[in-house]
Amino acid sequence: MPDFDPLTARSRAHPDTHQRGADKIARIPVKVERADTRLRKPHWIRARAPVGAGVARIKRLLRERRLTTVCEEAMCPNLGECFEHGTATFLILGDICTRRCPFCDVAHGRPEPVDPDEPAHLAEAIATMGLRYVVITSVDRDDLRDGGAGHFAACLRAVRARTPTTRLEVLVPDFRGREANALAAFRDDALPDVFNHNLETVPRLYPAARPGADYQGSLRLLADFKARHPEVPTKSGLMLGLGETRDEVVGVLTDLRAHGCEMLTLGQYLAPTREHLPVRRYWTPTEFDELRAIGEELGFAQVASGAMVRSSYQADQQAAALFDDAAPGPRR
């Protein structure tokens, strides 16, 4: 094997255990149909190169503490900007996902046992970075009885104990078939400041884009959490460009509001490789502005809509307007 950069995410050095590309999506029920020609990226799609002293500092900190970020695993185009500013979206429960979603570059394979030291390492990293707002997400762990919710809770408690003024947003999987057990874990010191679960796309495209997921189930997860904790904002997001129509997108926004969702992100899908679902079209900045206005008219408290918007991109800025001066943490 060629020399491997020690600052690069570990999963990239182990293709034998971390399936990506064709190996990952070979067994999904709806096969990826490659576009005859790849659409050329328009001029408004621009990302900062993931280089610089700030980027190297964050990568070194992550490797030293055996931590993972979705920024690296999913090849987020905003990695350079976020790492340079000292922020990251932490990916817990390992770097191997039990799902094979063909839009995503997170590796598939057989997950390793949950690391009991991860909550402490995460809390230490957040304290070292001096973060005031943190997004914690995870791979899907269909092998765990609670889908990994208990580990989410352990991470929330550890961070709160170390840096009690840090606000915490969780971006959770769908906990398919384990929703009730999973939601029961988010309570007291393990109650997040924002509860986020992405619908990702319109229901017609679920068989191709989210094999194993259920559109109505994802809506219920958001609604059920909101029913348990009406004081905690709920959030969801969509990626555009997979072949959805404007009316379908508006239909999803309407469904989200009907299920109590208050925060929304809309961004342009960018295929990580040629093996992934192709981009069917690039939505224009004007169209993203129009969707933002529609979201606001529907009653979303916060809407982030733009080509480079991602679910956790500048999440602190989106959430800031929803919080008063009260301290973060569990609400009684």
Side-chain angles (χ1 to χ4, degrees):
M1 179 180 292
D3 291 340
F4 188 71
D5 183 350
L7 295 184
T8 300
R10 182 178 65 91
S11 68
R12 302 283 169 180
H14 299 279
D16 52 331
T17 57
H18 294 66
Q19 299 175 11
R20 285 188 165 91
D23 292 336
K24 170 181 173 178
I25 65 176
R27 302 170 78 177
I28 61 175
V30 179
K31 302 305 178 184
V32 173
E33 295 183 8
R34 294 188 182 182
D36 294 335
T37 58
R38 297 184 73 181
L39 298 180
R40 185 173 182 178
K41 288 182 182 178
H43 65 84
W44 58 81
I45 302 292
R46 291 291 181 269
R48 178 181 298 179
V51 296
V55 174
R57 182 180 74 86
I58 297 301
K59 287 188 174 184
R60 188 174 297 109
L61 183 153
L62 294 168
R63 301 295 88 81
E64 289 173 350
R65 290 164 175 78
R66 293 180 293 152
L67 294 172
T68 305
T69 65
V70 74
C71 320
E72 296 171 288
E73 299 301 324
M75 291 181 63
C76 178
N78 298 320
L79 184 151
E81 177 182 349
C82 293
F83 276 23
E84 191 63 36
H85 282 86
T87 63
T89 298
F90 295 97
L91 185 75
I92 63 172
L93 291 166
D95 55 14
I96 296 178
C97 187
T98 55
R99 306 275 177 96
R100 299 173 180 266
C101 297
F103 67 85
C104 178
D105 203 42
V106 173
H108 171 79
R110 177 173 293 182
E112 297 178 354
V114 176
D115 180 3
D117 295 326
E118 186 171 50
H121 291 158
L122 177 64
E124 181 184 359
I126 290 169
T128 300
M129 294 169 71
L131 299 180
R132 300 176 62 187
Y133 193 99
V134 172
V135 181
I136 303 172
T137 189
S138 79
V139 292
D140 278 286
R141 290 297 299 262
D142 295 316
D143 59 312
L144 302 177
R145 297 185 66 177
D146 66 351
H151 193 69
F152 263 102
C155 289
L156 290 169
R157 287 193 293 267
V159 176
R160 288 244 162 82
R162 183 70 182 269
T163 54
T165 60
T166 299
R167 290 201 180 274
L168 300 173
E169 176 178 327
V170 293
L171 172 55
V172 301
D174 60 11
F175 301 121
R176 181 184 61 195
R178 304 162 180 80
E179 294 89 346
N181 287 340
L183 290 180
F186 296 102
R187 65 182 187 276
D188 301 327
D189 289 346
L191 192 62
D193 292 287
V194 175
F195 183 86
N196 186 353
H197 172 63
N198 286 334
L199 294 187
E200 304 291 9
T201 189
V202 301
R204 176 177 58 84
L205 297 177
Y206 261 53
R210 292 192 71 194
D214 177 71
Y215 177 75
Q216 293 298 330
S218 286
L219 286 172
R220 285 194 301 271
L221 181 71
L222 288 163
D224 289 349
F225 178 89
K226 192 65 179 176
R228 290 169 181 255
H229 307 289
E231 72 281 12
V232 178
T234 51
K235 176 179 175 181
S236 191
L238 294 176
M239 53 186 176
L240 307 183
L242 292 172
E244 68 289 328
T245 68
R246 183 177 183 276
D247 286 346
E248 285 178 316
V249 173
V250 174
V252 173
L253 305 193
T254 303
D255 286 345
L256 282 169
R257 287 297 300 133
H259 287 76
C261 187
E262 298 143 286
M263 302 174 69
L264 175 69
T265 58
L266 300 169
Q268 173 68 52
Y269 168 66
L270 300 173
T273 71
R274 288 181 179 272
E275 305 295 337
H276 290 79
L277 290 174
V279 177
R280 297 298 179 184
R281 85 174 179 96
Y282 289 100
W283 289 61
T284 68
T286 297
E287 289 175 311
F288 277 110
D289 288 343
E290 291 171 352
L291 288 175
R292 179 188 297 110
I294 290 172
E296 291 170 349
E297 289 173 3
L298 288 171
F300 285 97
Q302 289 292 318
V303 181
S305 180
M308 301 304 290
V309 168
R310 297 297 181 267
S311 184
S312 54
Y313 177 59
Q314 298 182 348
D316 56 337
Q317 297 178 31
Q318 189 183 19
L322 299 184
F323 297 124
D324 55 24
D325 293 331
R331 301 165 176 82
R332 307 298 182 187

